[in-house]
Amino acid sequence: MARDTLTREQIIRAAVELLDDEGLAGLNMRALGARLDSAATAMYWHVKNKGNLVLLATDQVWSELPLPDPGTADWRTAVTVMATDLHTMFTRHPWLVQVLAAHLVYGEGKARHDDRSLALYEAAGFTADQSDQAAGAVFTYVLGNAAGTAATASLTRKANGTGEQFRDTMAEAREIATRYPRLRARLETQAAADYAAAPEGTFEFGLRVLLDGLEQELAAQSGPNPPR
């Protein structure tokens, strides 16, 4: 594909696809050029460098998140929807977890998402500082829950798609876990057959408990004797 026919949008879309297939370590201009049937040097007419491309791909994915309107749903429902969509995004694009650990992530898509998140808490009655804290707590919870999926994807990829390294690692983890009674009991049940997997409904349970706490905090500050 000639330089004058290649667009920045095409490069970013191809970068997202490459990241999904190969992970953060697999993204480079040569591989991207091959995917686009173009010279690697043509990429630099549209993006500054690999770091810039990672940020552009990250913001492209963030821009695809639907955002609830603060005025059309109660804040808990809206926050639950945003958190669930964010968790789905992280599990669909596990390389994002690595990006957040290695890059200062910014852009129009993420700024739009973060601003809407704060708007939901402020509309509920949280102060600006409390909204920052609440949004940070929920985001950290979502990211932490997605970390296991990202690690599994990375480990499997390192095994060249065979999954052999992952199986060996899980076998070793299970062998160690059987030395401890509560872990052994869980591994002996069908639901816990995969040592790396959380029980079904874990994400939803934790998010509900977290929002329960935020709701109690909101009720306390709006009661007859709000805390100072």
Side-chain angles (χ1 to χ4, degrees):
M1 188 177 294
R3 171 174 62 83
D4 58 354
T5 61
L6 193 63
T7 68
R8 190 188 200 197
E9 289 70 27
Q10 287 174 318
I11 292 173
I12 294 172
R13 285 198 301 270
V16 171
E17 293 172 359
L18 182 58
L19 285 162
D20 286 345
D21 291 342
E22 304 295 337
L24 190 58
L27 178 66
N28 59 72
M29 297 304 183
R30 179 172 295 181
L32 187 59
R35 187 168 286 239
L36 289 166
D37 192 25
S38 179
T41 53
M43 305 300 111
Y44 293 103
W45 287 93
H46 302 276
V47 297
K48 297 176 183 177
N49 48 46
K50 178 181 174 179
N52 176 236
L53 181 57
V54 168
L55 291 178
L56 291 171
T58 299
D59 205 56
Q60 172 63 39
V61 172
W62 231 287
S63 298
E64 296 169 0
L65 284 172
L67 300 180
D69 187 336
T72 59
D74 70 277
W75 74 271
R76 278 199 61 151
T77 299
V79 168
T80 299
V81 169
M82 283 191 71
T84 302
D85 287 344
L86 190 64
H87 184 260
T88 300
M89 181 185 78
F90 283 141
T91 53
R92 187 169 60 244
H93 307 289
W95 50 272
L96 285 170
V97 178
Q98 294 176 283
V99 171
L100 286 164
H103 294 263
L104 175 61
V105 175
Y106 63 92
E108 293 291 337
K110 187 172 187 301
R112 168 177 163 268
H113 172 275
D114 293 350
D115 186 77
R116 182 60 56 85
S117 177
L118 293 173
L120 292 174
Y121 294 107
E122 290 180 1
F126 291 99
T127 66
D129 287 345
Q130 289 172 332
S131 296
D132 283 333
Q133 293 168 340
V138 172
F139 181 83
T140 302
Y141 173 75
V142 174
L143 181 62
N145 269 268
T149 300
T152 297
S154 177
L155 186 59
T156 303
R157 190 179 294 112
K158 288 178 181 178
N160 297 321
T162 65
E164 181 178 354
Q165 182 179 355
F166 178 69
R167 288 193 296 271
D168 290 345
T169 300
M170 289 300 99
E172 183 178 0
R174 282 192 293 270
E175 192 279 323
I176 293 173
T178 58
R179 304 172 195 170
Y180 298 88
R182 292 168 187 81
L183 298 181
R184 183 173 61 250
R186 282 159 175 76
L187 288 173
E188 288 172 352
T189 66
Q190 184 175 0
D194 185 350
Y195 180 76
E200 185 177 354
T202 295
F203 174 75
E204 293 79 7
F205 170 80
L207 181 60
R208 185 172 66 252
V209 170
L210 177 56
L211 296 183
D212 284 345
L214 290 174
E215 192 166 46
Q216 290 174 13
E217 182 71 19
L218 186 61
Q221 75 177 26
S222 60
N225 297 302
R228 294 185 181 273

